[in-house]
Amino acid sequence: MPDSKHFAPPGPIGFGGAPLGNMFEEVPDDVAEATLAAAWDAGIRYFDTAPEYGPGISEHRFGHVLRNRPRDEFVLSTKVGRLLRADASKGGQHGPFVKGLPFRVDYDYTADGVRRSIEDSLQRLGMARIDIAYIHDCAEDAHGDRWLEVFDTAMTGAAVALTKLREEGVIRGWGLGVNRVEPCVMALERADPDVFLLAGRYSLLNQPALDTLFPRCQERGVHVVVGGPYNSGLIAGGKNFEYQEAPPDKVAARDRLAEIAKRHGVDLRAAALQFCAAHPVVASVIPGTKNPARVHENVALMKQPIPADFWRELKQAGVLPEQAPTPA
């Protein structure tokens, strides 16, 4: 990758904060604290969270643990585009997040909304600095037919404000945090982002970013953080794909991958993590987890030896594109 003026988080592995926002099920506070402590002890130094996660509870939990660590020794990212409003009627429920904090989540991609969002996040985190701010979900999956209008507001509001905050030294970098490739490509045309957090769009099961976004990022020296390397758990043996029950064709594709992995004695989770990290634009891969043991497991999986024959068979079988970089 060319030398870049853009800020990037450390890798190859970081920590994704959605599960600690009580995604799908409640995580006790002590388990959340132990999980984040395990990540630190395992050498992870990049942590990503968001106001939406829980809503608010993930940021509280990250701040509770990380504010006791040396601030210059880790990189912290959160997101903008949603503001939390006190609303006891919500009962801590928001999307897939259960038993969170009593807030309503309102979209706001304006410049004023971004500054308010960052101030609120600093309060929840109990910290004086956020390193990276991602504009969250300004894409079709979140906004449907209105997404281009929403994206335009994000570019004229949030992107401008974040660029100024970067120039002022309030943040070190900004980008988009999305589940779609298209807004990232468009953001490169309209603004000067540093890094994208792209979930589920570069994995063993799904690579739409490979030929569309990644070459443009290489040209601009922009980095990518890969979220959802297990595609919401399906690759790791779960039942969900993109936050919902996996369709039969995706289950069949996972099973085919698993069959080839078994033949080569490869843990499919290790292959998933290492495949994502192998592309030169990828700065970090951030699997999320809800327990300390899985943190250490993920770190070990990222280092597990994988035979070249495994990658070769995936390409020969048409499971992976021939042009996709694989670990050396």
Side-chain angles (χ1 to χ4, degrees), residues 9-315:
I13 191 167
F15 189 96
L20 296 189
N22 293 341
M23 193 175 205
F24 302 125
E25 62 183 1
E26 184 177 12
V27 180
D29 286 337
D30 60 335
V31 174
E33 182 175 352
T35 302
L36 285 164
W40 182 272
D41 293 343
I44 290 173
R45 293 297 182 267
Y46 173 45
F47 299 85
D48 174 71
T49 183
E52 184 196 16
Y53 301 161
I57 198 169
S58 178
E59 285 188 322
H60 273 287
R61 287 169 163 173
F62 274 52
H64 178 69
V65 172
L66 292 176
R67 65 174 171 262
N68 295 314
R69 269 64 179 184
R71 183 62 188 88
D72 289 337
E73 292 185 12
F74 65 91
V75 169
L76 176 66
S77 59
T78 191
K79 303 182 182 73
V80 299
R82 289 179 171 96
L83 294 176
L84 304 188
R85 315 282 190 186
D87 188 344
S89 71
K90 295 297 181 182
Q93 297 287 132
H94 173 72
F97 301 100
V98 303
K99 296 186 178 180
L101 302 180
F103 293 96
R104 183 179 78 249
V105 180
D106 292 338
Y107 288 109
D108 191 331
Y109 292 100
T110 65
D112 288 344
V114 162
R115 290 182 179 271
R116 165 72 184 276
S117 180
I118 288 180
E119 286 298 324
D120 287 354
S121 287
L122 291 171
Q123 292 284 346
R124 284 188 291 269
L125 291 161
M127 296 185 188
R129 188 178 88 224
I130 292 165
D131 296 299
I132 301 170
Y134 295 113
I135 306 173
H136 203 184
D137 286 342
C138 53
E140 185 176 12
D141 58 318
H143 299 285
D145 293 341
R146 290 188 57 247
W147 85 269
L148 288 172
E149 176 187 343
V150 171
F151 178 82
D152 188 65
T153 300
M155 289 297 99
T156 57
V160 173
L162 291 172
T163 300
K164 289 180 179 177
L165 289 170
R166 182 180 63 193
E167 292 168 353
E168 294 165 6
V170 176
I171 60 174
R172 300 169 75 182
W174 71 270
L176 307 187
V178 291
N179 305 312
R180 294 290 185 270
V181 171
E182 294 81 7
C184 298
V185 173
M186 292 166 61
L188 288 171
E189 297 169 352
R190 296 188 55 175
D192 184 34
D194 300 275
V195 56
F196 297 118
L197 199 173
L198 184 65
R201 290 299 177 274
Y202 192 68
S203 72
L204 285 178
L205 284 175
N206 202 27
Q207 307 97 31
L210 179 62
D211 295 327
T212 53
L213 176 63
F214 284 7
R216 290 173 173 84
C217 288
Q218 282 190 285
E219 291 170 4
R220 292 277 294 275
V222 170
H223 308 274
V224 175
V225 171
V226 173
Y230 298 141
N231 284 121
S232 299
L234 183 62
I235 293 176
K239 298 179 179 179
N240 290 323
F241 179 82
E242 295 195 351
Y243 317 110
Q244 301 177 34
E245 185 173 346
D249 64 318
K250 293 300 181 184
V251 174
R254 186 275 313 276
D255 290 347
R256 189 182 184 199
L257 280 167
E259 179 184 338
I260 296 172
K262 183 178 181 180
R263 191 155 57 244
H264 290 273
V266 170
D267 189 315
L268 190 57
R269 298 169 301 166
L273 293 178
Q274 293 183 37
F275 171 73
C276 293
H279 199 289
V281 306
V282 174
S284 191
V285 182
I286 54 168
T289 185
K290 301 174 182 177
N291 68 78
R294 184 58 62 83
V295 172
H296 290 286
E297 198 171 33
N298 283 335
V299 171
L301 289 167
M302 185 64 90
K303 301 174 182 177
Q304 195 173 100
I306 296 177
D309 285 348
F310 168 74
W311 302 112
R312 193 174 299 115
E313 181 171 348
L314 290 185
K315 291 187 175 183

